[in-house]
Amino acid sequence: MSGRASEPPAPRLVAGVDSSTQSCTIVIRDAATGALVREGGAKHPGGTEVDPAAWWDALQAAVADAGGLDGVEAIAVAGQQHGMVCLSGSGEVVRPALLWNDTRSAGAAADLVDEFGATAWADAIGSVPVASFTVTKLRWLARNEPANATATAAVCLPHDWLTWKLRGTGNLDDLVTDRGDASGTGYFGTTGGYRRDLLRLGLGRDDVLLPRVLGPAEAAGRTPDGVLLGPGTGDNAGAALGLGARSGDVVISLGTSGVVSVVSPTPTADPSGIIAGFASATGEHLPLVCTLNAARVLDAAAALLGVDHDGLSRLALSAPPGAGGLVLVPYLEGERTPNRPDSTGALHGLTLGTSTPAHLARAAVEGLLCGLADAVDALVAAGVPVQRVFLIGGGARSDAVAQIAPAVLGRPVLRPTPGEYVADGAARQAAWVLAGSDAPPGWAAADTETFEADPTPVVRARYAEARDLTVPRR
């Protein structure tokens, strides 16, 4: 008896969203294998204060660019961390969201630390608040916009709001978050629950609704079209999940910010404020050090020199290690680590010999990397296990960054094939929720390049000398 061979069943599809500071990206992948099926993207408006409606519009545009959600059974959103989205009792946005990189709350952060104490903050939430944290923005709101503070009935994070919009009920009780993103608010405790006393310290009241905290693979409901919703997470936790990072893996992400995080089985509590004791998207911990200035340091240097990024890379690699003593401290937008929100960038060691495009290009790359090397050192000093180092993000595509990084960091560096790792992490979470399994699906790891170089400690030493000479804006 003969017959036509049956066709294999169509793959089950999941979608992952990366709603970052600058853009929205969506990937649609095979839930079982992780194979990419299609993807799309759209831009976000600039600035550090944004109407959340722009994120929703960008998500719709990204979905359309990806050919729609036909066949998608589950979706999750990874979004920029921190931020402040205030909602009224009817679910309307009270005022434009303040993003993580809005430093107007720097004074509020300093006051909160003074009032509660750095050690008390570290013990309570695993971190010492800086201007990025939601609690500091709430203190700023209460002080500067009391009418808006009074009108606020619920506070959520960017990824929480987008998940809620996808849910489509308009009911504030359906706001959800995950432990990874909640750990960056400043009012989520190390024991796993909200600290309403700290919320009150920020906003002046603690009766606002906060999103329900879901487990790593707990469903957040369904969209009106029946698509299963994952809990979502913050962008750094999403990147670690998308990369398949395991315990001891350091992920250095060069985007708008420079982020150094490591998957760890144990929490941290650093009263110096350098290390933020965040949680991962998998139930572990994700101690993290963040700088405000990363890929845009390369953008600024390229613009200053009148070259594109490839040209900047070639110039940097043509200059000697240490750039002949020229040091760039790249605090172009203030800085978070160290906590100097009012500082500016500075160039030291300028001589006739170092006044060349190549020397400046090299100093820009080395200055960017030195701040990240300080971050890795802080994690090691805190006893966090450090095994492999991965370099991802837009800035990691620079060959100069990849080749100079091991010399500055003093250890080999792995550069995965460029990809959308935050969106991939969200997609992997969606697949995890869809499967209902105990662990995320075992998707194939990305291909990586390994970069090695002799360490250049003199570069770090010169940078350390120049770093403390920076001054605040007048």
Side-chain angles (χ1 to χ4, degrees), residues 177-268:
T177 191
D178 86 306
R179 183 170 152 267
D181 216 4
S183 64
T185 59
Y187 43 82
F188 184 78
T190 54
T191 57
Y194 285 120
R195 288 285 302 264
R196 287 192 173 267
D197 58 324
L198 301 180
L199 173 66
R200 188 186 318 118
L201 196 60
L203 186 60
R205 44 189 270 255
D206 63 3
D207 60 342
V208 295
L209 185 147
L210 298 176
R212 183 164 54 94
V213 182
L214 301 180
E218 186 177 350
R222 293 183 180 273
T223 71
D225 293 330
V227 179
L228 192 64
L229 283 167
T233 193
D235 51 4
N236 296 301
L241 181 58
L243 195 59
R246 56 180 188 254
S247 182
D249 282 348
V250 175
V251 180
I252 299 178
S253 178
L254 300 181
T256 304
S257 61
V259 176
V260 181
S261 61
V262 57
V263 178
S264 173
T266 56
T268 57

Side-chain angles (χ1 to χ4, degrees), residues 319-327 348-349 353-354 358-364 366 459 462:
L326 189 64
V327 177
H348 299 270
T354 60
H359 285 82
L360 180 57
R362 182 88 185 199
E366 290 179 340
V459 173
R462 287 174 178 159

Side-chain angles (χ1 to χ4, degrees), residues 13-17 25-28 59 63 69 72-78 162-163 166-167 218-223 226-232 426-431 433-434:
L13 301 182
V14 294
V17 175
T25 301
I26 185 169
V27 297
I28 297 172
L59 175 56
V63 168
L69 294 178
V72 170
E73 296 186 50
I75 185 171
V77 179
L162 281 169
T163 302
L166 284 167
R167 180 81 184 271
E218 186 177 350
R222 293 183 180 273
T223 71
V227 179
L228 192 64
L229 283 167
R428 195 173 178 213
Q429 184 193 72
V433 174
L434 183 63

Side-chain angles (χ1 to χ4, degrees), residues 59 67 71 98 192 196 254 266 276 286 289 298 349-350 373 403 430:
L59 175 56
L98 296 184
R196 287 192 173 267
L254 300 181
T266 56
L286 196 73
V289 182
L298 305 178
L350 194 62
Q403 292 181 41

Side-chain angles (χ1 to χ4, degrees), residues 3-62:
R4 182 178 299 173
S6 61
E7 295 183 3
R12 305 185 75 182
L13 301 182
V14 294
V17 175
D18 172 14
S19 182
S20 73
T21 312
Q22 297 175 314
S23 62
C24 180
T25 301
I26 185 169
V27 297
I28 297 172
R29 293 187 173 273
D30 184 317
T33 67
L36 181 65
V37 176
R38 55 188 191 270
E39 61 186 322
K43 289 292 185 182
H44 283 160
T48 62
E49 180 180 280
V50 175
D51 184 343
W55 302 333
W56 180 248
D57 291 344
L59 175 56
Q60 303 312 302

Side-chain angles (χ1 to χ4, degrees), residues 49-52 84-87 92-98 104 140-141 145 148 152:
E49 180 180 280
V50 175
D51 184 343
M84 180 189 74
V85 182
C86 295
L87 302 177
E92 298 299 316
V93 174
V94 171
R95 60 138 16 252
L98 296 184
R104 73 185 71 181
W140 179 90
L141 184 75
E145 298 179 0
N148 284 335
T152 297

